[in-house]
Amino acid sequence: MIRRLVQALLDELDVIVERDPSVRSRGEAVLHPSLTAVLGHRLAHRLYLRRRFVFARALSGLVKVLTGGIEIHPGARIGRRLFIDHGAGVVIGETAVLGDDVTLFHQVTLGATGSPRHLGRRHPRLGDRVLVGANATLLGPISVGDGASIGAQALVVTDVPAGGSARAPRAVVRALQKAA
């Protein structure tokens, strides 16, 4: 069991080194907010599954403060090797499900649309190897297939197929008009 825990920790550190070009070693990766968020969530999720909801939420809140705003509800199901780059403002809702090797950039929201709690899944489900760009918002019980990518600033409220992409409109750039 200890060997498995150590290997899982090393996997999390290696993911940070692999996906963040500014991190050069496992030692540096220990200080990355993604590691704190993921490990904190794994512990909070165990508490949640044991119906220790108050303790799970308290730990989740502490992790949010320590990471500069990465908020993962203890009920969310997170796969292996999640990487959250920069992290600030990331929100992952209670019924969200993330596959393995998912990458999220800052200010990503995996949220609900206000549907009642008793209706079951209210948050997105992301497959394996999904990449979600900065400030993207995915709402409701949608599914994003394996290997899909969501561009920065995208608002996604419908399913995205495996290997597909969802992109926000590009900014319109205009030259400065000189006064006559």
Side-chain angles (χ1 to χ4, degrees):
M1 181 171 136
I2 297 293
R3 183 175 294 211
R4 207 171 64 219
L5 288 173
V6 169
Q7 187 57 53
L9 176 61
L10 293 175
D11 286 348
E12 297 293 348
L13 292 171
D14 289 343
V15 155
I16 293 168
V17 173
E18 288 169 18
R19 296 192 208 162
D20 189 337
S22 72
V23 176
R24 294 164 190 84
S25 68
R26 285 178 175 166
E28 223 179 316
V30 167
L31 302 173
H32 201 283
S34 182
L35 182 68
T36 305
V38 169
L39 295 181
H41 172 72
R42 299 222 187 276
L43 181 54
H45 187 67
R46 286 181 185 262
L47 291 168
Y48 182 88
L49 293 176
R50 289 182 171 90
R51 305 187 62 76
R52 306 283 189 195
F53 301 122
V54 172
F55 293 117
R57 290 287 256 184
L59 177 58
S60 179
L62 176 62
V63 169
K64 179 181 174 184
V65 170
L66 293 174
T67 59
I70 300 174
E71 182 177 344
I72 306 175
H73 190 285
R77 295 190 346 230
I78 307 292
R80 295 174 300 148
R81 297 178 302 276
L82 169 64
F83 176 60
I84 303 172
D85 200 7
H86 301 290
V90 169
V91 177
I92 301 174
E94 178 182 24
T95 63
V97 178
L98 282 67
D100 295 338
D101 299 304
V102 169
T103 298
L104 306 176
F105 285 87
H106 55 283
Q107 295 179 327
V108 165
T109 298
L110 304 178
T113 57
S115 54
R117 181 180 307 179
H118 68 276
L119 292 180
R121 189 166 70 92
R122 304 180 318 277
H123 299 89
R125 178 186 316 259
L126 278 54
D128 297 339
R129 300 173 315 284
V130 171
L131 182 135
V132 183
N135 203 32
T137 301
L138 291 74
L139 297 176
I142 62 172
S143 293
V144 178
D146 294 347
S149 64
I150 309 299
Q153 300 275 335
L155 172 60
V156 184
V157 294
T158 59
D159 292 348
V160 178
S165 66
R167 301 282 183 253
R170 292 184 180 181
V172 176
V173 179
R174 294 191 175 101
L176 180 64
Q177 299 292 326
K178 294 185 180 185

